[in-house]
């Protein structure tokens, strides 16, 4: 059964990597909480949550119930403003206490990339400018527009030409901010750069970036696709910096495993999508009621299970229980860590051995020397501690 699924999978489902799990083959039959189970009922601890998606664990009963209830009412209606849909309204009402007051209008999408696309289009339309700035070693998605923000030529070279007029600055380098000027429509940034391996923005840099953008009327687009919904130890990373972006982009953990993303902006800004011409952004499925019902349940679970506080407990747990002289750098932000080694080879060896020992981790897209930890926020603490002890042994002894 298992071999049959794997060979058919390799034959008929498009593959974009020769060795996504470093040669380790694991085929999952079902998942529950922080655990994944293969067809032989072997358990694997999910220490990455499907890249920060399953933050409230797999198959949470509240999410399951929300999906069932909503599918009994309606799954899909047109989303171009024809119908005032209760799930869309309720979700935003529930989210608004976590947002700066100015961010009061939400555009629902299906993924992070699509939300980034929408945010870029909004910025270009609202400012009448074309230039976009992003930061080196950031990842904002794989559609053409979102991929254009990626500085790694090796990663983008086969998709050229991408969007013109994009400039890549060095993250946390204040001198580079001189490139932002009256031609710039927007700067896309992360408070905690995810795929370079958890690199946090410096406050002075954020202040200088904000001041420069304000001076030239440039919109700040904050990508909180990975940092959001408690992952970084606050509900959103912008709260930690007491900072208000012009456009906030969300996805990943938002839907509790269902595909949903969003960009959020002041209504006055968002309004520019509705004229000259109207329908400034379109999506068939964005705002799908079932996905939003799941997303609403995620907000309730985050609150009821106090998972933002829990992320900080996980941070403490990682900092106290993970220790080896072979670790070159350890960067931890909430339930989110980059364990960096001296070489990619060492990192891959450890990830592979961890997989063979039932621990699912991986590396970062633009930092293959660092092992990613991003467990479900409600992972049982004893399971996490055991896993960290196991990791220590793997790091020390292979
Ligand atoms: C920070 C960040 N932005 C954007 C994206 C793109 O999101 P999606 O894969 O949902 O299109 C990702 C995905 O990994 C991401 O990590």
């Amino acid at each position: 059964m298992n071999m049959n699924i794997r060979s058919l999978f390799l034959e008929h489902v498009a593959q974009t990597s020769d060795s996504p799990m470093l040669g380790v083959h694991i085929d999952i039959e079902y998942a529950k909480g922080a655990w994944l189970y293969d067809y032989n009922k072997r358990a694997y601890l999910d220490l990455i949550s499907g890249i920060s998606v399953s933050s409230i664990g797999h198959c949470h009963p509240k999410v399951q119930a929300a999906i069932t209830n909503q599918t009994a009412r309606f799954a899909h209606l047109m989303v171009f403003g024809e119908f005032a849909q209760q799930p869309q309204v309720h979700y935003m009402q529930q989210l608004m206490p976590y947002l700066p007051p100015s961010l009061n209008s939400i555009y629902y999408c299906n993924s992070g990339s699509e939300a980034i696309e929408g945010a870029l289009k909004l910025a270009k339309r609202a400012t009448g400018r074309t230039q976009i700035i992003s930061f080196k070693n950031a990842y904002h998605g794989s559609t053409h527009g979102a991929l254009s923000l990626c500085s790694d030529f090796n990663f983008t070279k086969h998709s050229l030409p991408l969007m013109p007029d994009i400039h890549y600055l060095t993250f946390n380098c204040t001198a580079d901010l001189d490139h932002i000027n009256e031609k710039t429509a927007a700067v896309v940034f992360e408070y905690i750069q995810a795929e370079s391996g958890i690199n946090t923005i410096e406050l002075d840099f954020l202040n200088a970036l904000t001041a420069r953008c304000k001076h030239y009327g440039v919109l700040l687009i904050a990508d909180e696709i990975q940092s959001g919904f408690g992952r970084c130890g606050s509900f959103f990373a912008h709260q930690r910096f007491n900072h208000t972006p012009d456009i906030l982009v969300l996805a990943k953990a938002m839907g509790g495993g269902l595909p949903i993303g969003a960009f959020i902006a002041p209504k006055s800004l968002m309004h520019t999508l509705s004229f000259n011409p109207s329908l400034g952004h379109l999506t068939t499925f964005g705002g799908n009621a079932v996905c939003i019902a799941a997303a609403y349940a995620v907000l309730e679970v985050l609150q009821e299970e106090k998972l933002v506080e829990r992320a900080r407990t996980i941070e403490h747990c990682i900092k106290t229980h993970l220790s080896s002289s072979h670790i070159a750098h350890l960067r931890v932000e909430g339930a989110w860590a980059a364990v960096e080694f001296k070489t990619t080879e060492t990192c891959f060896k450890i990830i592979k051995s961890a997989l063979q020992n039932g621990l699912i981790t991986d590396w970062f897209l633009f930092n293959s020397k660092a092992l990613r930890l991003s467990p479900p926020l409600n992972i049982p603490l004893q399971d996490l501690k055991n896993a960290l002890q196991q990791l220590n042994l793997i790091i020390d002894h292979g």
Side-chain angles (χ1 to χ4, degrees), residues 157-394:
K157 64 187 178 199
H158 296 298
S159 306
L160 302 179
L162 289 169
M163 247 169 65
D165 219 2
I166 312 273
H167 299 260
Y168 312 106
L169 309 188
T170 302
F171 194 56
N172 279 333
C173 172
T174 308
D176 259 21
L177 298 178
D178 290 349
H179 293 278
I180 299 169
N181 57 39
E182 66 286 344
K183 294 190 183 124
T184 314
V187 176
V188 184
F189 77 106
E190 292 162 279
Y191 297 96
I192 301 166
Q193 212 182 50
E195 292 306 317
S196 62
I198 318 290
N199 285 294
T200 305
I201 203 161
E202 285 164 15
L203 189 57
D204 286 351
F205 178 76
L206 178 61
N207 288 339
L209 170 67
T210 309
R212 182 101 188 165
C213 286
K214 209 176 191 127
H215 181 77
Y216 287 105
V218 176
L219 298 175
L220 268 171
I221 301 176
D223 177 341
E224 289 227 44
I225 288 169
Q226 276 205 58
S227 59
F229 301 100
R231 172 60 54 196
C232 67
S234 51
F235 198 94
F236 289 120
H238 66 255
Q239 295 168 332
R240 281 212 352 222
F241 297 93
N242 199 16
H243 187 258
T244 300
D246 297 292
I247 306 175
L248 176 68
V249 188
L250 306 175
K252 288 212 183 257
M254 183 176 176
L258 265 68
I260 185 167
F263 57 99
I264 303 177
K267 188 173 186 313
S268 53
L269 183 60
M270 204 66 105
H271 177 63
T272 56
L273 291 174
S274 67
F275 60 92
N276 188 29
S278 64
L279 301 174
H281 195 57
L282 284 168
T283 164
T284 294
F285 288 116
N288 173 273
V290 178
C291 297
I292 294 190
Y296 190 92
V298 169
L299 292 182
E300 288 186 326
V301 171
L302 286 169
Q303 253 169 9
E304 286 165 11
E305 297 185 17
K306 297 192 178 5
L307 293 185
V308 179
E309 291 92 322
R310 196 61 204 294
R312 292 196 286 270
T313 307
I314 291 174
E315 172 171 346
H316 180 71
C317 189
I318 293 174
K319 283 177 174 164
T320 37
H321 290 270
L322 189 66
S323 90
S324 162
S325 56
H326 297 286
I327 298 173
H329 302 284
L330 177 63
R331 293 181 293 278
V332 195
E333 293 286 2
W336 205 20
V339 189
E340 193 161 309
F341 302 97
K342 287 205 182 83
T343 64
T344 296
E345 201 190 5
T346 308
C347 185
F348 280 12
K349 209 173 127 213
I350 290 161
I351 291 169
K352 184 168 179 173
S353 179
L355 286 169
Q356 288 163 335
N357 282 281
L359 302 177
I360 311 243
T361 68
D362 73 350
W363 60 98
F364 293 87
L365 198 51
F366 300 126
N367 186 348
S368 55
K369 286 190 211 162
L371 175 148
R372 181 197 310 266
L373 292 176
S374 180
L377 306 182
N378 51 5
I379 185 173
L381 276 189
Q382 195 52 53
D383 288 347
L384 180 63
K385 283 179 192 166
N386 293 344
L388 294 171
Q389 266 161 24
Q390 233 181 314
L391 269 181
N392 286 338
L393 288 175
I394 291 168

Side-chain angles (χ1 to χ4, degrees), residues 137-159:
N137 299 320
Y139 178 71
H140 297 290
S142 265
T143 50
H144 269 77
L147 188 64
S148 307
L149 303 173
C150 173
S151 62
D152 185 339
F153 178 70
N154 199 37
F155 202 71
T156 60
K157 64 187 178 199
H158 296 298
S159 306

Side-chain angles (χ1 to χ4, degrees), residues 51-108:
I51 320 286
S52 304
V53 169
S54 307
S55 284
I56 62 163
H58 298 269
C59 294
H60 197 288
K62 276 229 157 192
V63 173
Q64 286 179 329
I67 293 170
T68 308
N69 290 340
Q70 184 54 44
T71 44
R73 291 195 186 97
F74 62 88
H76 175 76
L77 296 176
M78 283 193 297
V79 294
F80 313 118
E82 296 84 355
F83 310 115
Q85 297 191 34
Q86 193 205 53
Q88 296 186 350
V89 175
H90 278 183
Y91 183 80
M92 188 52 175
Q93 278 182 319
Q94 187 81 351
L95 187 68
M96 271 171 58
Y98 299 103
L99 298 173
S102 60
L103 296 182
N104 57 3
S105 177
I106 187 166
Y107 190 106
Y108 293 106

